[in-house]
Amino acid sequence: KTFMPQIVTDPAYVHRAYCDCPGFLDNRGAEINIANAISINRVLRQASGVKAVFLAEYSDCVKSRATWIRTMGSMCLQMFGSLDKLSKYQDAVLLGITKAPLYEGGEPITRDIVRSLVTRANIPIAQILADRVFLYDPLDRGRDNPDFWSIERCRAEIAQLSSIPQCEATTLFQTVLTSEDQTKLKQIMRVQVSALVASLERDDYQAAESYWQSLTQLEIIDSDEVEQMLREYALEPLRNFVLRRVMAYQKNALVYNFDEAERQLEVLRNLLGRFPHEQLEYSIEGLEAVLQSSREKRRIEEESIRENLEKARQEVARIEREKADKMVKEAIKDILDIVNKRSKGSKSSKGRKDSGCCTIS
């Protein structure tokens, strides 16, 4: 099952499992290549260690001659990355030759015969693979030939192989996407991103989350090109949408439109709860702090206004009291002036009456 690999545990070795991985040089199309890349990396991340068993048909060894081993060598280099790495991990590798005849020219087929076919190419990688060769017939017709392994011996030999640690295997087995694969991947991502953005604009965050998860599954391919495409096509539009939402929320919070700010904060809680905070560069706690700070600022301002109003009221009352006191004092002064004038006028009239009498002597 190479399109969606199935991991099968070996009943005789409970810590061993087999996975029939996709073959190299698959020509079923870019979508299949992308799916294969995802599947291989997912399998690698689930394994504590990895052993590689290549299979090839005997007829290819004979008919294709040196071309076959060069093709097999290219596959190994594509998988391991370099001849040095293949050499380093060769004890974790086997090359099984299947569909081999039991006899050829009246002589039994042996491992040495196959090794000579492999080394015919006279290239360094051929010697490594020749040393890892075994013969296998699924129907176990070669049980009388010691160079043909039975199914039990295959499992036992695989169990005894060295294991490439998972931490090394995930970086060792790099996925290579062709330019056609990358072009198709861009098309797929653009369609998904368009659906993601449309879901965001209509506030359907559950659907947007589903599209986002589909896109981020591509990260398992562990390719610089894929990471770049994810940032460019998916993450940036998502960040821009969240930024617009955050700016609208902050604007309402800063102008003390708290009811609308609370509504928008709840929308942001729902939105950010479905997407990675560290990539969107916002946190619910930080956004809540904006509203809390704005409320505190409003409270301080209102308290300051109340204090200023009270001071103004007291000042007005003081001025009014001073005016009233002044008016009272002026009124009293006017009254006193009137009284004084009247008193002086009375005295003056009495004086004039006395001076009017005369004495004749």
Side-chain angles (χ1 to χ4, degrees):
K1 297 187 177 181
T2 59
F3 180 56
M4 296 296 290
Q6 179 180 356
I7 298 175
V8 180
T9 302
D10 189 331
Y13 302 91
V14 293
H15 297 297
R16 301 283 186 269
Y18 300 93
C19 176
D20 187 5
C21 294
F24 293 93
L25 306 179
D26 196 322
N27 59 0
R28 287 177 291 174
E31 294 93 337
I32 300 297
N33 292 342
I34 294 168
N36 288 346
I38 293 174
S39 298
I40 291 173
N41 280 276
R42 183 170 291 156
V43 169
L44 291 175
R45 294 188 182 193
Q46 294 180 30
S48 60
V50 177
K51 305 171 184 183
V53 180
F54 294 95
L55 297 176
E57 294 184 11
Y58 179 80
S59 59
D60 291 334
C61 302
V62 176
K63 295 177 183 179
S64 301
R65 297 181 180 272
T67 302
W68 169 81
I69 188 57
R70 287 193 175 92
T71 301
M72 179 61 68
S74 297
M75 293 179 182
C76 293
L77 291 178
Q78 182 180 348
M79 184 173 182
F80 283 87
S82 70
L83 179 63
D84 289 340
K85 290 180 179 178
L86 175 61
S87 178
K88 176 182 178 181
Y89 296 108
Q90 61 180 302
D91 290 340
V93 175
L94 285 175
L95 172 57
I97 305 300
T98 65
K99 300 183 181 179
L102 300 182
Y103 298 90
E104 195 169 63
E107 296 294 328
I109 295 295
T110 64
R111 181 172 179 269
D112 288 339
I113 292 175
V114 176
R115 291 183 72 253
S116 66
L117 293 174
V118 173
T119 55
R120 183 187 303 167
N122 195 27
I123 55 177
I125 200 170
Q127 186 60 52
I128 295 175
L129 293 177
D131 292 337
R132 311 307 299 165
V133 162
F134 71 93
L135 295 170
Y136 173 66
D137 185 274
L139 299 180
D140 201 18
R141 292 171 295 185
R143 65 172 61 93
D144 295 331
N145 186 333
D147 284 348
F148 276 79
W149 289 2
S150 65
I151 182 64
E152 290 78 13
R153 184 176 177 186
C154 283
R155 289 157 61 185
E157 293 285 351
I158 292 172
Q160 294 174 15
L161 287 177
S162 298
S163 182
I164 304 171
Q166 190 264 355
C167 59
E168 297 179 34
T170 52
T171 56
L172 177 65
F173 302 129
Q174 294 295 316
T175 301
V176 178
L177 297 178
T178 66
S179 58
E180 291 79 6
D181 297 340
Q182 293 185 25
T183 299
K184 186 62 180 181
L185 187 57
K186 289 179 182 179
Q187 294 174 354
I188 294 171
M189 293 180 70
R190 286 194 181 102
V191 171
Q192 291 289 93
V193 169
S194 296
L196 167 66
V197 172
S199 299
L200 290 172
E201 294 295 343
R202 65 174 181 267
D203 294 333
D204 187 354
Y205 301 142
Q206 183 175 358
E209 180 186 22
S210 177
Y211 288 118
W212 173 259
Q213 290 177 348
S214 295
L215 285 164
T216 54
Q217 284 181 8
L218 297 173
E219 289 179 327
I220 199 171
I221 297 177
D222 198 19
S223 163
D224 293 338
E225 292 83 0
V226 171
E227 290 182 6
Q228 175 63 30
M229 285 189 285
L230 281 172
R231 286 194 299 270
E232 179 180 351
Y233 295 125
L235 187 56
E236 286 305 314
L238 179 59
R239 281 178 174 171
N240 291 336
F241 178 83
V242 174
L243 176 60
R244 295 204 317 268
R245 289 290 188 178
V246 169
M247 291 178 65
Y249 158 72
Q250 291 176 335
K251 178 180 178 180
N252 281 283
L254 293 176
V255 299
Y256 307 146
N257 190 0
F258 295 132
D259 289 341
E260 180 61 18
E262 282 283 8
R263 187 192 70 80
Q264 292 176 342
L265 180 59
E266 187 58 34
V267 170
L268 286 167
R269 284 195 186 99
N270 185 16
L271 178 59
L272 295 180
R274 297 178 181 276
F275 299 97
H277 298 178
E278 67 278 2
Q279 292 188 15
L280 296 179
E281 301 173 353
Y282 295 103
S283 69
I284 293 299
E285 294 76 11
L287 293 173
E288 288 175 340
V290 171
L291 185 57
Q292 183 179 355
S293 175
S294 188
R295 288 186 185 278
E296 179 64 15
K297 183 180 178 181
R298 177 65 179 270
R299 184 192 67 78
I300 293 172
E301 288 181 358
E302 290 178 343
E303 185 176 329
S304 177
I305 291 172
R306 285 194 296 269
E307 290 177 354
N308 291 335
L309 286 174
E310 179 61 23
K311 289 179 181 179
R313 187 190 66 78
Q314 292 175 0
E315 181 65 16
V316 169
R318 183 188 65 77
I319 293 172
E320 291 298 323
R321 284 196 301 272
E322 289 180 352
K323 286 182 178 180
D325 290 345
K326 183 178 180 181
M327 291 176 64
V328 169
K329 289 178 181 179
E330 290 176 351
I332 292 174
K333 181 177 179 298
D334 291 342
I335 293 172
L336 289 176
D337 288 344
I338 293 171
V339 170
N340 289 334
K341 286 180 180 180
R342 287 181 178 178
S343 175
K344 289 179 181 180
S346 176
K347 290 180 180 180
S348 175
S349 175
K350 184 178 179 180
R352 287 197 299 272
K353 187 179 293 186
D354 290 342
S355 61
C357 297
C358 61
T359 302
I360 301 173
S361 59

